[in-house]
Amino acid sequence: EIQGDSLADKISGERNFLILEVGEGAGKKVEVVGFDEVWPLKADRMVFAPEPEAERQRVFNGDGAVGSKLLQMTREPFATVLLTYVQGPPAHPMFGGGARFDKSMFTSLREQLEKANFQVKEWDLNQEMPAAGADDPPQVLLILPPPEPSMMGARPDQPPQGFGPMHENRIREAIDEGTPAIFLTSWEYPRRFGPPAEYPLAP
């Protein structure tokens, strides 16, 4: 029996779906896992003419979809993942350029972490590290590839834009105080001319 409008809204338009029930009485929780979560479309290859959705293959993700939903219904978040980044310089209106990595590129990563029952927050290294609440789960830094320093568009009396010693020191201080950290290092296709760009945290 479907009780309440919110559950009816979740299954509206669904072809096939699973209803998960956890607990009893007043503590009972009900969630819906939709068809597209159990059978997501297979990612398109890099082709010039993508296949129509009706012709694309699907892959089975039922164990992951159901497991992540059950975790969210029955467990507190395992940890708080701090997406740690420096917002790089914007692209120049005439010459392009700008940061090769931007936090907006990691939307899917954030969604996957939340589905795996992690709380996700952000830390812009231009600001102080967000303080953890008394009841918050432990924090883990997920350090996104920092932008290379750039003088483009900067005035002579301003420091280079991008990643610098201040940001590195803030990362070091957080780690020295006991916060675990995972570094996402960058990669590039081989360049035909010139050396590859250096990962700013390589040393």
Side-chain angles (χ1 to χ4, degrees):
E1 181 181 355
I2 298 176
Q3 298 178 349
D5 295 335
S6 61
L7 185 60
D9 291 341
K10 289 179 181 179
I11 64 176
S12 175
E14 287 282 359
R15 293 172 286 181
N16 299 290
F17 54 88
L18 301 173
I19 295 180
L20 305 182
E21 297 182 355
V22 174
E24 296 178 348
K28 182 177 179 179
K29 297 179 181 179
V30 182
E31 287 288 347
V32 173
V33 182
F35 176 83
D36 288 327
E37 295 176 86
V38 177
W39 289 97
L41 288 167
K42 188 175 182 180
D44 262 339
R45 292 172 298 171
M46 295 179 67
V47 294
F48 292 107
E51 295 176 316
E53 181 175 324
E55 298 177 14
R56 284 172 59 189
Q57 293 182 337
R58 291 182 177 269
V59 295
F60 181 70
N61 184 47
D63 49 354
V66 172
S68 64
K69 191 72 72 173
L70 287 174
L71 278 173
Q72 294 170 16
M73 296 168 72
T74 60
R75 295 286 185 269
E76 294 298 321
F78 296 128
T80 299
V81 176
L82 283 179
L83 293 182
T84 305
Y85 64 93
V86 175
Q87 193 65 38
H92 192 278
M94 293 182 61
F95 303 107
R100 292 182 302 130
F101 293 95
D102 184 270
K103 65 173 183 173
S104 62
M105 299 178 183
F106 297 90
T107 303
S108 295
L109 175 60
R110 181 179 190 134
E111 291 174 355
Q112 293 300 320
L113 286 168
E114 290 173 343
K115 287 179 180 178
N117 207 36
F118 289 95
Q119 180 175 282
V120 181
K121 296 183 178 179
E122 296 183 0
W123 179 20
D124 182 345
L125 286 167
N126 289 308
Q127 311 295 328
E128 295 292 333
M129 182 176 175
D135 299 326
D136 286 352
Q139 292 183 331
V140 179
L141 304 184
L142 186 57
I143 300 170
L144 307 184
E148 299 84 1
S150 172
M151 288 298 296
M152 184 175 293
R155 298 201 313 263
D157 60 336
Q158 291 180 328
Q161 300 181 40
F163 186 78
M166 177 191 74
H167 307 114
E168 182 178 336
N169 288 337
R170 284 186 167 164
I171 293 174
R172 287 182 180 276
E173 289 171 2
I175 294 174
D176 289 344
E177 291 173 2
T179 305
I182 298 171
F183 292 80
L184 294 186
T185 58
S186 57
W187 64 275
E188 286 187 315
Y189 290 109
R191 292 183 177 182
R192 293 186 60 186
F193 305 103
E198 181 182 359
Y199 175 60
L201 282 167

